[in-house]
Amino acid sequence: MNDSFGAGGFNTSAAGGGENKAEGVLPLVIQQVLDSTDGGITLFGHQYTMITLVAIVRNVEYSSTKATYQLEDHTGQIDGHLWIDEEGVSSAPSIVPQSYARVVGSLRNHGGAKSIMIFKIDQLSSPNDVTTHLLEVLHARYKGEEYIKRKAEGTFDTNANANSNGGFMETDSVGASMGLTGKQLAVYKAIKSHVSDIGISRKELQAKFNHISPSEMQNIIEGMNQEGIIYATIDSEHFFCVEA
């Protein structure tokens, strides 16, 4: 594995114009988090509040209020804190030390020391998930670069971004070649064009297409999932296109 991955050119503070709040969860490596500015996680002008990491849990320490996970990947180390409810340690997820886990959380910066406030942590069952995460980190970077390039070239449609497909000028050819039409094609384009994260959520799709009932949206998503056109990312509620 290339230890230079995620460092240097993958700094999340890369500039790209005015800063905008971005939806979704941004996949990162630890060095990107450590290199972030005090202003938070920013990638090509989009600021993210939610991030996801895949790292080895080197150690776990428990107190009466939280579990602290020492996280390490090939780029660095960082602590992650998970608050524990009234049930105590028994309510914390069971993560075996020296094993890989996927973490979803937000950046915390206290006294110059960065850490992760964990919202969800799950032990990985397959080493393939590590490779998948690295590909997601690259994909987020390249989608961000594509966004900036298209915006500079004037091919970025801000009206489309606000009203339909997340901002990219998409043709119907790819989706149509898969047999998608009408509402299916519209949902496919929205999933495919979602920028700089690891997938669009079911809730976000429903908000974009409020004329589609929740049951019909579920049928559309499940149908494309079964056909291998889209796949779930961090959980069963977030999706990416296979051809994205």
Side-chain angles (χ1 to χ4, degrees), residues 138-227:
L138 282 171
H139 184 269
R141 171 77 182 192
Y142 293 152
K143 290 292 282 187
E145 288 179 334
E146 181 182 14
Y147 168 84
I148 293 300
K149 181 180 178 181
R150 292 195 178 194
K151 189 174 182 180
E153 292 174 348
T155 57
F156 179 80
D157 188 343
T158 55
N159 290 327
N161 181 52
N163 297 323
S164 61
N165 68 2
F168 285 104
M169 303 283 287
E170 294 287 347
T171 65
D172 293 351
S173 59
V174 176
S177 69
M178 299 178 182
L180 303 178
T181 59
K183 295 176 182 178
Q184 289 178 324
L185 185 57
V187 172
Y188 167 82
K189 289 167 64 178
I191 297 173
K192 183 178 180 182
S193 61
H194 199 63
V195 180
S196 297
D197 58 37
I198 61 171
I200 188 170
S201 71
R202 192 187 303 267
K203 183 178 180 180
E204 289 169 315
L205 283 171
Q206 193 64 63
K208 285 179 178 288
F209 302 102
N210 52 24
H211 63 288
I212 301 178
S213 68
S215 59
E216 186 176 10
M217 179 65 74
Q218 181 175 344
N219 289 337
I220 291 172
I221 291 173
E222 288 183 353
M224 289 194 291
N225 191 32
Q226 291 173 0
E227 292 295 325

Side-chain angles (χ1 to χ4, degrees), residues 65 86 95 109 151 203:
T65 58
E86 307 81 40
I95 305 295
N109 192 341
K151 189 174 182 180
K203 183 178 180 180

